[in-house]
Amino acid sequence: PEPAMRWLVAIAVPWLLGCEAKMKTGTITIGGVKEDSRWKYLSKFGYDIGKGTYAVRLKAIRPLLAEEKEVMLDIYLDEKWEKIDTNGPACDKVEFRNTKHPVKLPLNAEWSHWINGTLSQKVRPHVWYFGLSDCGGEHLPTSTRIKYEFLALQESESHFSVEMDSVLIMHFIEVVVLILFSIYFTRQCHRFT
């Protein structure tokens, strides 16, 4: 039973440690002449009471830009997000944003600088929504494929959104039950050998 337990711990511990961190990555297509291509949803994150942080970076991957262009990272509080008409004009959504950050898209498919910020919750937890817009000033001349990386942290430095609190407890219980069953099963197997 002791070698089996070591094997189980050797597999379970790295898996559990890996559960603590996550980063959302993805691609969107934004810009060009179509009005509905000027705003795209990136992600959302539920922050608990306190001061949470976020970081976003972008890179244009196709077509390669001939000159640096600027897009806006738009951030919306859940209370304003509910007022957004998802079927309305894309650039009307920017009226409801709580804050914005300009992001310069560098040339040659290089990553932009990290855009870092904090969001504070004093009364209750809130879900914040993140989008990217190409609604002001110089527009991207053609539809541009942009890769993004999004990282969010609670004040406690947890990567888990506030709505995941009860899910974490359930996953922990599942892992404990799996470990106990594996130990029991391993002992039963040794009885037959």
Side-chain angles (χ1 to χ4, degrees), residues 2 9 16 40 47 77-78 93-94 108 117 132 140 172 185:
E2 194 171 311
V9 169
L16 288 173
K40 296 294 178 173
Y47 290 97
L77 182 61
D78 50 9
K93 295 173 178 65
V94 300
N108 302 324
L132 201 62
L140 291 165
F172 179 75
F185 184 75

Side-chain angles (χ1 to χ4, degrees), residues 8 16-17 41 45 50 53 58 64 67 69 77 80 89 108-109 114 129 134 140 151 159 168-169 178 184 190 192:
L8 185 61
L16 288 173
L17 292 174
Y41 170 84
F45 192 79
T53 61
L58 310 169
L64 294 178
E67 60 181 315
K69 290 290 185 178
L77 182 61
K80 288 187 177 180
N108 302 324
W114 282 100
Y129 295 84
D134 182 35
L140 291 165
L151 178 65
H159 288 260
L168 293 175
I169 293 168
L178 175 66
Y184 171 77
H190 283 294
F192 290 111

Side-chain angles (χ1 to χ4, degrees), residues 39 74 76 81 84-97:
W39 188 96
D74 300 326
Y76 302 82
W81 182 257
I84 291 177
D85 178 12
T86 55
N87 295 322
C91 287
D92 286 357
K93 295 173 178 65
V94 300
E95 294 175 28
F96 296 98
R97 65 186 170 203

Side-chain angles (χ1 to χ4, degrees), residues 48 154 158 160-174:
D48 206 352
Q154 300 287 354
S158 168
F160 291 104
S161 188
V162 71
E163 65 266 21
M164 298 295 286
D165 279 349
S166 59
V167 174
L168 293 175
I169 293 168
M170 291 304 299
H171 283 309
F172 179 75
I173 291 169
E174 288 174 357

Side-chain angles (χ1 to χ4, degrees), residues 4-184:
M5 185 62 151
R6 284 187 199 154
W7 179 81
L8 185 61
V9 169
I11 290 177
V13 169
W15 181 78
L16 288 173
L17 292 174
C19 290
E20 182 61 26
K22 70 175 182 174
M23 176 189 286
K24 180 169 182 184
T25 62
T27 56
I28 59 166
T29 302
I30 192 168
V33 294
K34 289 185 176 178
E35 171 67 26
D36 63 343
S37 296
R38 298 204 187 270
W39 188 96
K40 296 294 178 173
Y41 170 84
L42 293 182
S43 190
K44 70 176 184 170
F45 192 79
Y47 290 97
D48 206 352
I49 294 173
K51 216 179 238 188
T53 61
Y54 61 88
V56 176
R57 70 178 182 164
L58 310 169
K59 75 173 167 179
I61 54 176
R62 193 175 54 229
L64 294 178
L65 298 176
E67 60 181 315
E68 281 190 350
K69 290 290 185 178
E70 187 175 272
V71 293
M72 284 292 169
L73 173 65
D74 300 326
I75 303 170
Y76 302 82
L77 182 61
D78 50 9
E79 295 161 351
K80 288 187 177 180
W81 182 257
E82 295 168 1
K83 297 175 185 176
I84 291 177
D85 178 12
T86 55
N87 295 322
C91 287
D92 286 357
K93 295 173 178 65
V94 300
E95 294 175 28
F96 296 98
R97 65 186 170 203
N98 288 72
T99 189
K100 64 182 180 178
H101 294 284
V103 184
K104 285 208 181 287
L105 294 171
L107 304 174
N108 302 324
E110 293 180 17
W111 285 104
S112 69
H113 295 291
W114 282 100
I115 304 302
N116 299 299
T118 59
L119 297 168
S120 297
Q121 287 61 235
K122 295 180 180 167
V123 177
R124 67 172 179 86
H126 285 282
V127 176
W128 290 83
Y129 295 84
F130 297 81
L132 201 62
S133 63
D134 182 35
C135 294
E138 291 183 33
H139 298 292
L140 291 165
T142 60
S143 291
T144 305
R145 208 155 159 78
I146 295 176
K147 186 171 186 168
Y148 67 91
E149 291 183 349
F150 171 80
L151 178 65
L153 294 169
Q154 300 287 354
E155 187 172 43
S156 65
E157 296 192 3
S158 168
H159 288 260
F160 291 104
S161 188
V162 71
E163 65 266 21
M164 298 295 286
D165 279 349
S166 59
V167 174
L168 293 175
I169 293 168
M170 291 304 299
H171 283 309
F172 179 75
I173 291 169
E174 288 174 357
V175 169
V176 168
V177 169
L178 175 66
I179 290 170
L180 293 173
F181 175 76
S182 297
I183 292 168
Y184 171 77

